Amino acid sequence: MANVHSPVTEFNYLEIPPHHWEEELSLLKMVGTQTVLLRIPWGAHETSKGMRDFSRSSRLRLEKVLKNLADQHLKTQLQFGYFCAKEMLPSWAFSASQKTTIPAQVWDKESDDVSLVEVPSLFDHDLWASFKEFSNDVVKLSALYVTPHGPVEKIFLNLKLFAFDRDLFSSEEFTHCFKELYPNFDKINSKYNVILKSSPPILSTVNYRVLYKSRPWLASFDYKICREKLLTQLKEKATSIDSARGLEDHFEVETSESLEILSNGNSAVAIDPVFLDFSRDKVFPFCPQGLISPSSAFAFRMAEYFKEKTHFHRQSFFSLPLMGDSEPFPFNFISVICGKYLTRAAYQYLEKIWMRGGTVFFPFGFPQFDEHMVVLEWAGGMEKKTLSVGESRLQGYLRGLGIVCAPMQAFSPTQMVWDEIDKIRVGFEAGGTQ
Amino acid sequence: MKRRYCVTKISQREKQHFLQVAGFHSFRFFFLEVSGESILRALEVRGTHCSVQLEPVTLSQMKEFSRSYPDPILFLQSPEGASPSSLRTFNENATLWEEICPFPFSLFARYFNSAEGGVHISPDPIRQAFSQLFSALQCLETKMAETELSILWFHSPEQEIAFLCHYVRKRRLGVGTSAELLQIAKDFSEGGLTKNKLFEMFGTQTSFFNVDLSENTAENPILRISAALEKATQEPFQVLVSHLQTELFESDASI
C-alpha cells in the first residue's frame, strides 16, 4: 500500500490488482508523488527454484508496471535483495544450509525487542548462485527502463542485513579470513590467553566460544573485522553481475547503514563500537552465535541510556570507528564510553580531535589497550596534570591544542552518570579549566 | 468483486495510540530483560514512554530491587548463554496483542501464549488481570476468525483506533489499519452501517466488533478492556455470505 507522506512513495504492485495499477499510479501522481519505490520480491518472482516469472502471471508483470510508471512520468527507484516484505524470500531458499542470524529489528523495523531472526544466507554458495541469476534477470529487465529513456533512476540491491550477521562460522571464507589474522595457534593462544589444541580447523564454533569467553572484546573485534572483509567480497560479487555492466550510474549495492549522527551542538557522546551494531537509528547488542557476554550486555545498556539522554538534551551520539581512517565531526567536547579496550582507529579518530583543540573525556577511566594488545598512549610524553573543572577534579594531559582527561575516580555507571558528565561538559564550555 | 485487503501495517505510533485509547497512558511498570547472568535491558515504562535505567546493575541487586519496586514488573529471562530472546524466524505465531501493542507492552502476551517460558509478571493480581484480558481477547479472536475479515474498533469518548484483521482458515494472516476503517466505524455509530454496505465494501464475509471502552468505569485499564472485549464478543456485527445471499434473494423476490 502506498504511503503518501514519505518523499519516496512505495508502490506495492503485488498487492494491487494489475488492472488497477494505472489508476493507482495516476492517483499517486495527483497527490503530488514525485518518486516511486518499487520493491521486487525474489520470493514472488521465483516460487520454484530456477523458474523465474516476470511476465506470465499478471501480477508479476514488471515491465507493465514500469511502462505504467513511465506513462505517468513518475521517477522510479527499484529495490531488490533482502528487505522485510511478504514474499521477499522464496520458501525453497529456507532449505539453504547456511543461515544469517540478525537482530529482529533489522528485519522488521517496527519490531523493538532484541531477539534474533534467521534468514537464508547469501554466503551459502548454492543460494548465491540462484540469487545471482535472479539479480541478473532483474537488472537486465530494468536496464531497458533506466533514465533518460525510462523512469528508473536507481536500481538498489539491498544487502544491508548481512552487515549484522552473527553466525558466519559455517562460511569457508570467514574461516579463511580468521586464518589470515591468526596463521597459527601460538599467536591466537598468546593473544587470547587460552590453550587451544593445534588440530584443525583453527576456527570451529567451539574454539570461538573459548575465545569469546576469555576475551569477549577481542573476539568480537576479530569477528567484526572478518565480517567486514566478507561484506566487501559480497559487495564486489554483487556489483560485478553480468547485466550490471554499463549501468554504473544506476546500479548500487547497499551493504551498510551507519548510525545517523545528529550534528547539532559542539558536544557529543561517542561509544566504542565493538560490542554493538548500529543501524540508521537503532543500536543492537553484538552477540556472535547468540552469545551475550556481560560486557556486551552492559555496553548495550550504556548505548541505550546515552542514546536516550543525548536525544533528549539534543546532543550528538555516535559510534567510534572500528577500523580505517575517518575524519572526525567538528565537536569541541566528546565523552567517550568504553571499557578497558579501544580500537586503534578510534584512538586515531580522537587524536585528531584533541590535536586541533577539542577535549576528549573518558568518564569511566582511560582505556588501556588496542586490538593488538598494545598499550594506548594517552600521555604522549606529557606530564599528568590535575585539572579543576567547576567543582570536579580531573586527571589529564594537554595534547596538541586540546585535552585528554578522565575523572580522578572513574564514574560509576549509575542513573546519575549523565548529570555528572554533563557537569564536566558545562564546566569546559564555560572555560573554567585550571 | 472481491476487494484487496491490503492496509497499512501498524506503525509504532499507531501502536502507541492504541495504548492510549485502551487507557494504558498512565500504566506504570518496570521491564527487565535478562540473558543468562547479564541484565540486558531495564526500562521504566509509563504508558507510552520508556526510560532506560542503568540500575539495577547486577542480578543480585535485581532481587533487592524487585522487592522494593512499587509498580508491576515484567521480567523476561533467556537461558544462559543464549541470544536475548529465543531465536525465532518471522514472528509467525504472534498473538493479536503482540501485533497491536508496542514493545514492551506486547510481551505481556508472551507469558500466556508462549511455550518458551522465561516470562514472569509480578505481582499476582496484575498477572491475574492480564490472564483475564488475554482470555477475553482469545475468545474475541475465535469469533473474529469466523469471517475472512474482521474490523476491530476500540473507542473511548476521546480517542479511537480501528484494525482490520485478515483470516484464512481461522488463521490470522495480517493486521493493519487505515483511515477508511474509522469511516466505517462512524457509519456504525450513526446506525448507517448495514450488512449489505459492509459486503459491498469488502466483497467477503466480514465482521465488525465494537470495543466500547467508555461503558466500563473500572480504574484498572486491564479490567476495563477485558470487560469491553467480552461485551464485543457477545455482540458482533457480522455479515456472512450465506446470510447475505438469503437476504438479497428475499429482496429480489419482493421486487
Side-chain angles (χ1 to χ4, degrees), chain B residues 157-194:
Chain B
E158 302 85 26
Q159 299 177 88
E160 60 178 349
I161 192 163
F163 301 108
L164 181 71
C165 305
H166 183 198
Y167 296 90
V168 171
R169 293 193 194 106
K170 313 261 180 205
R171 196 170 151 247
R172 188 178 354 95
L173 290 190
V175 186
T177 185
S178 76
E180 201 181 9
L181 299 173
L182 290 179
Q183 186 56 47
I184 296 171
K186 193 173 174 231
D187 285 350
F188 175 84
S189 60
E190 289 168 355
L193 185 68
T194 62

Side-chain angles (χ1 to χ4, degrees), chain A residues 335-376:
Chain A
S335 303
V336 182
I337 312 303
C338 63
K340 201 165 76 172
Y341 298 93
L342 193 68
T343 64
R344 183 54 59 178
Y347 178 89
Q348 286 163 351
Y349 182 95
L350 297 171
E351 189 177 31
K352 287 179 189 167
I353 289 172
W354 72 62
M355 288 309 282
R356 67 178 184 211
T359 301
V360 176
F361 176 57
F362 291 96
F364 304 107
F366 290 113
Q368 295 163 34
F369 304 103
D370 70 2
E371 62 272 22
H372 308 291
M373 303 301 278
V374 173
V375 174
L376 291 164

Side-chain angles (χ1 to χ4, degrees), chain A residues 15 24 110 301 304 415, chain B residues 4 6 12 41 54 56:
Chain A
E15 288 197 354
E24 291 273 342
E110 293 299 336
R301 289 181 73 184
E304 286 214 310
Q415 203 57 27
Chain B
R4 61 192 159 90
C6 50
Q12 277 300 329
R41 252 178 174 169
L54 286 180

